[in-house]
Amino acid sequence: MLLIHCPYCDETLPEAEFAYAGEAHIARPADPMALSDEEWRDFLFIRSNPRGTHYERWRHVHGCGRFFNAVRDTVSDRFVTTYRAGEPRPDLSASTGAAR
Amino acid sequence: MTVHLPPLAEAGVTLTELPPAARFSLRLRPANRKAAAKGLGVALPERVGGIAEGKGRRALCLGPDEWQIDAAPGDTPDLPADLPHALVEITDREITFRIEGPRAMELLSIGIARDLRRLVPGTGCRTAFDGISAVLVREGEVAFTLAVWRSFAPHVRGVLEVGLRELASGL
Ligand SMILES: [Zn+2]
């Protein structure tokens, strides 16, 4: 079982308490009416799906209930770091083994 | 063939369903935490898992903006209307089990993936028991309370009773 650090509880807890919630840092367009159908489709459905470092949302659903962001390696399943919702993408150069 | 089940007293842990007491869910912005604590007569811990007691009430911090307030039956905590908050009675929503004895942690570990040794006595958390959301409080070194939503209680009781039989049988 994966262990995930909740940045709100400040504890590292079993995956069973968490729910995955898709790619992070996807901002809803401020004016959807101004978008073409293709741009709206891209916002709704098109994701980066990288091999390696992935910025993604999780929710501590059986816990504090908060959504937060995580950086996970999609190959090794290793969590590089987690951070609170609303914070910018962290600088990964300081995190060991995050060179990708 | 006769099956001889060992008495459950040999399990080293007891399972009791507690009588209902008053329970409330409190949601408010962290900025209003201290004002609300003053109104309730009980501190609202800032750290998730923290517990405070006062005025016959007990507050357990479940999230950055969420507290569970336990009170005596009939107690109705109230907060001023000009303080933005949501205070909802959930007394009837949950069944609370008390699990106590030297092997309490062992019994709970059949449904909870958390490392229970790291839950300090006098603190609590929301966690998952066999996939079900549950509020767990470590009341003492070997005493826990586990609250689950009413409709899940028969399943949780069943799982725990199987665990009790296994412990009593030396499995
Ligand atoms: Zn959390």
Side-chain angles (χ1 to χ4, degrees):
Chain A
M1 188 177 287
L2 296 174
L3 293 173
I4 302 174
H5 184 84
C6 174
Y8 293 94
C9 295
D10 194 23
E11 282 199 80
T12 302
L13 299 164
E15 181 191 358
E17 293 191 3
F18 297 84
Y20 178 69
E23 187 168 359
H25 300 293
I26 294 176
R28 183 183 170 87
D31 182 10
M33 291 300 282
L35 266 59
S36 67
D37 286 352
E38 287 69 28
E39 287 168 326
W40 186 244
R41 173 206 61 198
D42 288 355
F43 160 67
L44 287 180
F45 302 116
I46 305 303
R47 297 294 179 261
S48 60
N49 194 28
R51 182 181 188 278
T53 305
H54 189 226
Y55 294 77
E56 57 196 22
R57 301 169 78 218
W58 284 80
R59 186 180 177 212
H60 192 188
V61 57
H62 298 300
C64 64
R66 295 282 103 182
F67 281 90
F68 59 92
N69 294 332
V71 184
R72 181 178 57 96
D73 189 307
T74 59
V75 178
S76 65
D77 235 1
R78 197 177 73 83
F79 280 79
V80 179
T81 187
T82 58
Y83 52 104
R84 293 182 176 211
E87 289 179 2
R89 288 168 193 259
D91 176 16
L92 295 184
S93 57
S95 309
T96 47
R100 234 179 223 277
Chain B
M1 193 180 86
T2 315
V3 179
H4 294 283
L5 289 171
L8 289 185
E10 285 173 26
V13 47
T14 55
L15 171 66
T16 327
E17 185 180 317
L18 296 182
R23 182 168 292 162
F24 298 81
S25 169
L26 172 65
R27 306 293 301 263
L28 47 78
R29 294 190 185 281
N32 295 324
R33 183 175 61 88
K34 289 201 169 126
K38 212 171 161 194
L40 291 169
V42 56
L44 297 173
E46 193 173 13
R47 185 175 166 79
V48 178
I51 288 179
E53 288 180 55
K55 217 177 159 185
R57 297 166 177 167
R58 181 165 94 163
L60 162 64
C61 181
L62 290 174
D65 62 357
E66 181 182 8
W67 290 265
Q68 174 182 300
I69 312 291
D70 286 306
D75 187 7
T76 49
D78 202 10
L79 281 172
D82 60 357
L83 183 76
H85 71 280
L87 184 63
V88 179
E89 177 157 18
I90 55 169
T91 303
D92 203 41
R93 187 179 77 178
E94 297 172 354
I95 299 285
T96 307
F97 297 104
R98 186 175 175 92
I99 294 113
E100 187 167 9
R103 300 181 81 182
M105 216 180 273
E106 208 176 329
L107 177 66
L108 284 167
S109 70
I110 64 175
I112 298 177
R114 268 190 191 231
D115 183 355
L116 294 171
R117 288 168 303 186
R118 292 183 55 193
L119 189 67
V120 179
T123 67
C125 61
R126 188 188 281 120
T127 182
F129 181 92
D130 201 33
I132 298 159
S133 253
V135 173
L136 178 72
V137 175
R138 188 165 182 188
E139 306 282 353
E141 194 58 43
V142 294
F144 295 82
T145 51
L146 182 75
V148 295
W149 285 24
R150 180 173 291 278
S151 56
F152 293 110
H155 171 68
V156 170
R157 189 191 295 110
V159 171
L160 289 171
E161 281 173 354
V162 168
L164 281 176
R165 292 240 172 262
E166 290 185 348
L167 290 178
S169 311
L171 289 176

